[in-house]
C-alpha cells in the first residue's frame, strides 16, 4: 500500500464526526433526567425554581419565547437592510466605495462578539431607551406592543436590534452573492425595455428571492445561538410578555447566567443541558431547512 | 405619468441608499467608540496596561490586562495547533474522497457543526475536559475554540483545493507521482492563497469568540498563562466581566482591552482581506 | 510549509511550554460568593505581590457557583455566604477532610437610584411589597408613611427592581430578611439563593450577575432599587437606605454593630471548622433583626485540608491582611480557634 495518506486524512475526518456525535449523545444523555421528569412542560411552562434538597422545577418557556422573539426582531430588521445593502453594493456604489463596503461587511461578520456586547451595553441600550422606546411609548402608548413604560435599556428590543446588526453581514453575504451573479444580459435587457432603475432592481430581486429566503432562515439560526452579546443586553429576567420593552431571557443567556452555579442543584445541570439540546435542535432544524433550500435552489455563498 | 415613475424611482433609490447606510453605520460607530474610549483608557493607564495585572478598582486604579493578553495568546496558539491541522486534514479528505461514505456524512456534519451555538460547545468541553481534569484550564479553552473553528477551516480548505484546476492534478499523476506527492508538491502550492485564507479564518474565529471560554478557562484576569493544565484568563472574557462592573476603572479597563482586541482583530482582518483580494 | 512555517510552530510550542520552565509555582484557585469579593481582591493584590511561591486567583460567580465548583471538584477553595446544606456537607465530607467556617463579616444594603433623594427609610414588609410588585410607584402611600418628609419629592414613577440573576448568597440573606418580615413573602416566594421574583413576571424586574452586576444596573437605571453587599455601595458612593428590624429604629450598618452581632451569634452557634454550619444564617439574622441593622451577613470559606498553601494564605491574612471598608473582621477569638 503506497497510499498512506488516506488513513491519515480519514482519521481526522472521523475524529470530527466522533466529536460531533459525542456532543449530541452527551447533550441528549444529560437532558434525560429533566425531560423524563417534566416532559413537555419543560418547554411549555415558565419557572426556574432551584432548591437544594427540596422540589426543583424548571420550565424554559420564557427563555424559549425570548429566543424566538429576539431572533424574529433581528431578522425583521436585518432583512430590508441587507437587501438594500446588497443592491447598493452591487448596483449603485462606485468601484472604490464598493471595495470599502465589502471590507466593512466582512469586518462586521468577523468582529469579536464581545465588542458588539460592550457597545450594545454602553451605547445601543441607552440610545434605544431614549430615542425609540420612550417616544414610541409616549405617542403610541395605546398600542399593546408599546404600552409598557420603558424603564431600562436592557430589553428584548435591544437584544433584537443588536442581533440584527450582527446578522446583517451574514445575510448580506448570501443575498449579495446571488444578486451579483445574475447575468449581465438580464440587467441590460431590462434597461433596453425602458424600465427605470427601481423597476429593474425589483425584477432582479424577484429573481433572487430564493436566496433571500435562505438568508432569512440562516440569519434566524445565527440569531438564536448568539450568547455573549445578547446576555450583556437582554436583562436576564424570567417573564413572558408581548412587550419588547421588557427585560427578558434567551436560552443562550439563560445558560450563560446559570451554568456556573448549576452543579449545586440536582436537576439544574440536566435542565441546562436540556435547554442546550433544544437550542441546538432549533439551530439545527433551521440550518437543515436553510441548507435544504439552498441545495434545492442550488445557491452558493461564502461567509 | 412619466413624472410619477421618475418620482417613484427616486424615492426607491433613496430608500435603498439610506437603508444601506443604516446597515453600515453601526460598524462605523463601534469602530469609533472602541478607538476613542480605548485610546482614552490606554492614555490614562499608560503603557504598563499591556503587562500589569488589573488594579484595585476601589482606588480607581486601572492597572492592566497583561495576564489576560498572555492567556489569549496561549489560547490562540493552542486552538490553532489543535484545530488547524485537524480541520486541514479533514478538508483535504473531503476534497480527495468526496464520494466516500465518511465524506457523505462529514459534509452535512460540518454544516451542522457550524450552526451549533458556541455556548453549547463550552458546556460540552466543561463536561468532557474540565470536570475529569478537575480544573478549568487553558487546554480546555483551546479545545473549545478549536471546535468552533473546525467547520470554517474544513470548508475553506476543501473549497480552496476544489478551486485548483483539475489539469494540475492530472499533470501530477501523469508524471507518475502518487497521491501524497501530488497533494503536497502540486495542490497545496496551487491552492496556497485559499489555504492562507483558511488559516486566517481560523485565527479570526479564535480571536472573535467568547462564549466557548465561558465555562472552560476559569480565570478572572489576575492570572496569565501558567501551563496547559491550569486556569488562565483571556482578553475577551475580561471584557465580558469588566463591562458588567460598576467601577469606572474596570469599565475603562474593558475599553482599553477592547482596543487591544480590536487591533489584534484588525491585523488578522487586514491579512485576510489581502489574501482574498490577491496581490 | 516552508521553514518560516515550522519556525512559527516552534515559537508557538516554546510559548506554550515556557511556564513549565520558568514558573514551577502554581495558583491557588478559588471561586464563589461575590459578597466578599472586594475584600478578597484587596487581599489578593497584596498577597500576589508579596513574593510567595504561588498566586491566589478568585472568580466571583455567586455562592451557588462556588458550591457548584466545589461539587464538581474544579477549585481549591470556595467562599459562600450561606453555608453548605447539611446534605451537601455530608456528601462532600466523604471525599476528604473538608472544613468550613465564616471568615469575614459584611452587610447587605438596599441601594437605589432616585435623583435628589439621599435619605430613604424602608423596612422588610415594604421591600417585600416592592419585590412582590404591588407597591408599584415610588410615591406609594406605604413608602411615604415611612418617609413623611419625602411627600412630593418621591416621583410617580414605576419602581424598577434589580436582583441577582445567579445563585447568590446575597439573595439568600435578602430573601431571608423578607421572609422574616413578611408572612406573605414567606408563603408565596420564600427564601433561597435563587428565587422566583414576582416582579419579573410583571416586567419590572432586572437581573444582574454578581454584586457588581446589580450595582451597575442600579447606577444605570433611574428609579431603580436593588440590594448589594455594603462595600459595593460604599466604594461606588451609592445611597444606602436605612432599614429597621424588630425595634423599629432605622439605621445603616456599622462595623461595631456587625462585630457585636457576629460575636453573639458565634457564641450561640458554638461550632468549629469541622462542623456542619447549616442553618447558621438564621441565628445570625435573628440576632441582627432583634438588635439593630437587620441585614448582617457573613461569608464562609470552604476547602479540603491537606493543601498547605491555603493555610499559608490564611496566616498571611490573619497577620497582614487589612479589612476594607464595608466589611468587618470576624472576632479574634474565633480566628484563633480556627487557625489552631
Amino acid at each position: 500500500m503506497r497510499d498512506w495518506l488516506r488513513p491519515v486524512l480519514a482519521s481526522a475526518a472521523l475524529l470530527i464526526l466522533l466529536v460531533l456525535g459525542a456532543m449530541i449523545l452527551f447533550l441528549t444523555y444529560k437532558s434525560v433526567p429533566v425531560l423524563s421528569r417534566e416532559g413537555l412542560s419543560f418547554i411549555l411552562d415558565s419557572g426556574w425554581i432551584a432548591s437544594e434538597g427540596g422540589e426543583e422545577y424548571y420550565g424554559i418557556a420564557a427563555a424559549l419565547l425570548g429566543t424566538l422573539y429576539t431572533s424574529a426582531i433581528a431578522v425583521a430588521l436585518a432583512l430590508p437592510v441587507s437587501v438594500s445593502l446588497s443592491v447598493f453594493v452591487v448596483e449603485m456604489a462606485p468601484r472604490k466605495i464598493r471595495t470599502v463596503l465589502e471590507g466593512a461587511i466582512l469586518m462586521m461578520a468577523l468582529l469579536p462578539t464581545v465588542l458588539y456586547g460592550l457597545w450594545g451595553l454602553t451605547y445601543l441600550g441607552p440610545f434605544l431607551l431614549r430615542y425609540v422606546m420612550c417616544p414610541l411609548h409616549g405617542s403610541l402608548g395605546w398600542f399593546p406592543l408599546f404600552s409598557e413604560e420603558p424603564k431600562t435599556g436592557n430589553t428584548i428590543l435591544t437584544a433584537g436590534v443588536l442581533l440584527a446588526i450582527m446578522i446583517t453581514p451574514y445575510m448580506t453575504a448570501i443575498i449579495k452573492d446571488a444578486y451579483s451573479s445574475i447575468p449581465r444580459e438580464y440587467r441590460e435587457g431590462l434597461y433596453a425595455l425602458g424600465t427605470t432603475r427601481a423597476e429593474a432592481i425589483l425584477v432582479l430581486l424577484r429573481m433572487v428571492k430564493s436566496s433571500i429566503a435562505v438568508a432569512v432562515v440562516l440569519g434566524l439560526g445565527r440569531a438564536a445561538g448568539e450568547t455573549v452579546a445578547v446576555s450583556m443586553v437582554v436583562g436576564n429576567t424570567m417573564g413572558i410578555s408581548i412587550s419588547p420593552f421588557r427585560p427578558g431571557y434567551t436560552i443562550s443567556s439563560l445558560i450563560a447566567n446559570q451554568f456556573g452555579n448549576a452543579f449545586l442543584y440536582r436537576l439544574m445541570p440536566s435542565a441546562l443541558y436540556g435547554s442546550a439540546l433544544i437550542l441546538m435542535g432549533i439551530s439545527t432544524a433551521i440550518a437543515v431547512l436553510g441548507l435544504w433550500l439552498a441545495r434545492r435552489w442550488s445557491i452558493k455563498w461564502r461567509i | 405619468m412619466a413624472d410619477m415613475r421618475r418620482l417613484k424611482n427616486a424615492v426607491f433609490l433613496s430608500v435603498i441608499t439610506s437603508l444601506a447606510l443604516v446597515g453600515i453605520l453601526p460598524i462605523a460607530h463601534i469602530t469609533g467608540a472602541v478607538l476613542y474610549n480605548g485610546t482614552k483608557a490606554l492614555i490614562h493607564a499608560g503603557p504598563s496596561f499591556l503587562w500589569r495585572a488589573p488594579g484595585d478598582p476601589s482606588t480607581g486604579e486601572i492597572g492592566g490586562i497583561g495576564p489576560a493578553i498572555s492567556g489569549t495568546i496561549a489560547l490562540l496558539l493552542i486552538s490553532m495547533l489543535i484545530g488547524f491541522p485537524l480541520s486541514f486534514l479533514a478538508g483535504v479528505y473531503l476534497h480527495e474522497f468526496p464520494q466516500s461514505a465518511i465524506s457523505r456524512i462529514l459534509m452535512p456534519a460540518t454544516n451542522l457543526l457550524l450552526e451549533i451555538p458556541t455556548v453549547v460547545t463550552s458546556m460540552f468541553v466543561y463536561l468532557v475536559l474540565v470536570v475529569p481534569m478537575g480544573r478549568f484550564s487553558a487546554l480546555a479553552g483551546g479545545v473549545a475554540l478549536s471546535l468552533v473553528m473546525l467547520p470554517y477551516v474544513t470548508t475553506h480548505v476543501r473549497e480552496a483545493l476544489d478551486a485548483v484546476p483539475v489539469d494540475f492534478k492530472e499533470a501530477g499523476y501523469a508524471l507518475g507521482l502518487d497521491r501524497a506527492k501530488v497533494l503536497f508538491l502540486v495542490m497545496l502550492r496551487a491552492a496556497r492563497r485559499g489555504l492562507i485564507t483558511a488559516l486566517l479564518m481560523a485565527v479570526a474565529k479564535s480571536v472573535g469568540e467568547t462564549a466557548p471560554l465561558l465555562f472552560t478557562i476559569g480565570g478572572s484576569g489576575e492570572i496569565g498563562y501558567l501551563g496547559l493544565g491550569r486556569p488562565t484568563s483571556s482578553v475577551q472574557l475580561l471584557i465580558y466581566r469588566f463591562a458588567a462592573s460598576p467601577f469606572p476603572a474596570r469599565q475603562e479597563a474593558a475599553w482599553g482591552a477592547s482596543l487591544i482586541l480590536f487591533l489584534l482583530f484588525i491585523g488578522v482582518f487586514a491579512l485576510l482581506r489581502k489574501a482574498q483580494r490577491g496581490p | 510549509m516552508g521553514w518560516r512555517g515550522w519556525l512559527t510552530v516552534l515559537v508557538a510550542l516554546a510559548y506554550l511550554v515556557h511556564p513549565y520552565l520558568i514558573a514551577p509555582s502554581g495558583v491557588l484557585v478559588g471561586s464563589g460568593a461575590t459578597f466578599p469579593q472586594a475584600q478578597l481582591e484587596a487581599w489578593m493584590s497584596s498577597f500576589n505581590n508579596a513574593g510567595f511561591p504561588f498566586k491566589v486567583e478568585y472568580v466571583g460567580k455567586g455562592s451557588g457557583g462556588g458550591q457548584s465548583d466545589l461539587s464538581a471538584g474544579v477549585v481549591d477553595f470556595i467562599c459562600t455566604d450561606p453555608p453548605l446544606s447539611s446534605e451537601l456537607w455530608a456528601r462532600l465530607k466523604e471525599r476528604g477532610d473538608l472544613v468550613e467556617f465564616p471568615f469575614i463579616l459584611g452587610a447587605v444594603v438596599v441601594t437605589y437610584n432616585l435623583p435628589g433623594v439621599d435619605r430613604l427609610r424602608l423596612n422588610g414588609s415594604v421591600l417585600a411589597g416592592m419585590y412582590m410588585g404591588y407597591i408599584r410607584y415610588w410615591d406609594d402611600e406605604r413608602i411615604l408613611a415611612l418617609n413623611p418628609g419625602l411627600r412630593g419629592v418621591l416621583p410617580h414613577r414605576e419602581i424598577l427592581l434589580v436582583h441577582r440573576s445567579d445563585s447568590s448568597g446575597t439573595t439568600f440573606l435578602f430573601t431571608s430578611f423578607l421572609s422574616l418580615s413578611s408572612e406573605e413573602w414567606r408563603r408565596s416566594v420564600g427564601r433561597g439563593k435563587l428565587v422566583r421574583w414576582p416582579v419579573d413576571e410583571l416586567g419590572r424586574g432586572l437581573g444582574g450577575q454578581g454584586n457588581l452586576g446589580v450595582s451597575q444596573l442600579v447606577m444605570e437605571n433611574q428609579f431603580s432599587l436593588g440590594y448589594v453587599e455594603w462595600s459595593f455601595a460604599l466604594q461606588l458612593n451609592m445611597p444606602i437606605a436605612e432599614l429597621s428590624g424588630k425595634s423599629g429604629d432605622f439605621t445603616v450598618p456599622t462595623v461595631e454593630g456587625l462585630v457585636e452581632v457576629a460575636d453573639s451569634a458565634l457564641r450561640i452557634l458554638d461550632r468549629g471548622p469541622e462542623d456542619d454550619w447549616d442553618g447558621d444564617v438564621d441565628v445570625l439574622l435573628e440576632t441582627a433583626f432583634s438588635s439593630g441593622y437587620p441585614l448582617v451577613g457573613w461569608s464562609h470559606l470552604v476547602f479540603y485540608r491537606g493543601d498547605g498553601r491555603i493555610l499559608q494564605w490564611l496566616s498571611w491574612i490573619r497577620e497582614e491582611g487589612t479589612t476594607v471598608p464595608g466589611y468587618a473582621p470576624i472576632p479574634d477569638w474565633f480566628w484563633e480557634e480556627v487557625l489552631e
Side-chain angles (χ1 to χ4, degrees), chain C residues 149-172:
Chain C
L150 291 180
R151 188 173 291 279
V153 178
L154 288 174
H156 186 68
R157 297 294 290 254
E158 284 186 332
I159 310 168
L160 181 69
L161 293 143
V162 185
H163 57 72
R164 292 282 288 271
S165 65
D166 50 338
S167 173
S168 144
T170 310
T171 299
F172 183 86

Side-chain angles (χ1 to χ4, degrees), chain A residues 113-136:
Chain A
T113 49
V114 71
L115 296 185
Y116 278 110
L118 181 63
W119 178 79
L121 189 67
T122 319
Y123 293 100
L124 186 66
F127 172 83
L128 290 177
L129 176 64
R130 197 152 161 212
Y131 296 106
V132 177
M133 294 189 240
C134 284
L136 275 179

Side-chain angles (χ1 to χ4, degrees), chain C residues 13-335:
Chain C
L13 285 174
Y15 181 83
L16 293 179
V17 172
H18 89 274
Y20 297 99
L21 307 176
I22 59 163
S25 75
V27 219
L28 190 63
V29 188
S31 74
T34 57
F35 184 90
Q37 194 174 354
Q39 175 67 73
L40 285 168
E41 272 169 7
W43 283 342
M44 270 158 33
S45 77
S46 348
F47 182 84
N48 287 346
N49 290 319
F52 283 87
F54 61 93
K55 288 187 186 309
V56 182
E57 162 89 349
Y58 183 78
V59 182
K61 47 163 85 165
S63 297
Q67 295 191 21
S68 173
D69 282 351
L70 188 71
S71 314
V74 295
V75 288
D76 297 313
F77 70 92
I78 66 154
C79 298
T80 172
D81 316 337
L84 305 188
S85 65
S86 293
E87 185 246 350
L88 187 64
W89 170 258
R91 186 149 54 86
L92 294 182
K93 188 91 178 165
E94 282 169 16
R95 295 193 203 156
D97 192 2
L98 193 65
V99 290
E100 173 177 45
F101 54 90
F103 77 110
I104 189 79
L105 302 176
V108 178
V109 299
V110 171
T111 183
Y112 52 89
N113 184 339
L114 274 176
V117 178
D118 45 15
R119 195 161 171 217
L120 184 70
R121 294 178 151 184
L122 295 168
N123 62 24
S125 64
V126 166
L127 281 169
M130 290 166 129
Y131 276 92
M132 300 271 291
Y134 62 74
I135 297 185
R136 184 169 174 181
Y137 295 98
W138 274 109
D139 58 353
D140 191 282
E141 279 305 323
R142 283 159 285 206
I143 301 177
L144 288 171
L146 303 179
N147 303 278
L150 291 180
R151 188 173 291 279
V153 178
L154 288 174
H156 186 68
R157 297 294 290 254
E158 284 186 332
I159 310 168
L160 181 69
L161 293 143
V162 185
H163 57 72
R164 292 282 288 271
S165 65
D166 50 338
S167 173
S168 144
T170 310
T171 299
F172 183 86
L173 286 168
F174 185 66
T175 51
S176 298
F177 168 63
L178 296 187
S179 294
L180 268 179
S181 323
S182 154
E183 179 59 24
E184 197 185 352
W185 181 273
R186 196 176 64 74
R187 262 187 295 108
S188 64
V189 182
R191 70 167 176 184
K193 293 194 280 296
L194 202 57
V195 300
R196 181 179 195 154
W197 297 98
V199 276
D200 278 7
E201 278 137 56
L202 301 169
R204 285 189 277 120
L206 201 57
Q209 257 187 311
N211 273 300
L212 291 168
V214 171
S215 315
Q216 197 206 21
L217 290 173
V218 172
M219 286 172 76
E220 275 191 356
N221 291 286
Q222 265 193 7
F223 313 114
S224 66
L225 176 142
Y227 56 91
V228 293
E229 207 287 325
W230 189 20
S231 67
F232 294 87
L234 287 182
Q235 288 179 4
L236 293 163
N237 280 320
M238 299 168 80
I240 295 172
E242 294 174 16
L243 298 183
S244 70
K246 203 182 254 170
S247 66
D249 297 335
F250 290 92
T251 54
V252 291
T254 60
V255 171
E256 300 73 39
L258 297 190
V259 175
E260 210 169 285
V261 166
D263 192 74
S264 28
L266 282 172
R267 284 179 206 283
I268 298 169
L269 283 161
D270 192 28
R271 295 182 201 174
E274 307 284 338
D275 295 320
D276 169 10
W277 283 78
D278 196 3
D280 67 349
V281 172
D282 292 323
V283 177
L284 183 69
L285 272 180
E286 268 156 36
T287 316
F289 195 65
S290 48
S291 61
Y293 186 79
L295 262 171
V296 175
W298 55 30
S299 200
H300 302 73
L301 197 65
V302 191
F303 57 90
Y304 286 101
R305 216 186 329 236
D307 189 342
R309 295 178 303 173
I310 301 184
L311 290 179
Q312 208 177 336
W313 183 50
L314 283 180
S315 314
W316 178 89
I317 291 175
R318 179 86 182 86
E319 281 152 28
E320 323 225 346
T322 47
T323 311
V324 302
Y327 296 97
I330 281 283
D332 260 351
W333 62 267
F334 184 76
W335 259 121

Side-chain angles (χ1 to χ4, degrees), chain A residues 108-109 111-120 162 165-166 229, chain B residues 27 30:
Chain A
M108 275 175 92
L111 190 77
T113 49
V114 71
L115 296 185
Y116 278 110
L118 181 63
W119 178 79
L162 190 60
I165 295 170
M166 293 173 78
Chain B
I27 189 68
I30 293 172

Side-chain angles (χ1 to χ4, degrees), chain B residues 65-113:
Chain B
I65 58 163
I69 293 179
S70 100
T72 290
I73 295 174
L75 289 165
L76 177 64
L77 295 178
I78 298 168
S79 62
M80 292 299 290
L81 286 174
I82 298 174
F84 189 74
L86 187 61
S87 38
F88 172 77
L89 293 177
V92 174
Y93 182 84
L94 283 178
H95 165 75
E96 289 286 325
F97 309 103
Q99 294 307 321
S100 74
I102 300 179
S103 289
R104 276 163 199 239
I105 312 176
L106 185 59
M107 210 85 89
T110 46
N111 281 320
L112 194 68
L113 208 55

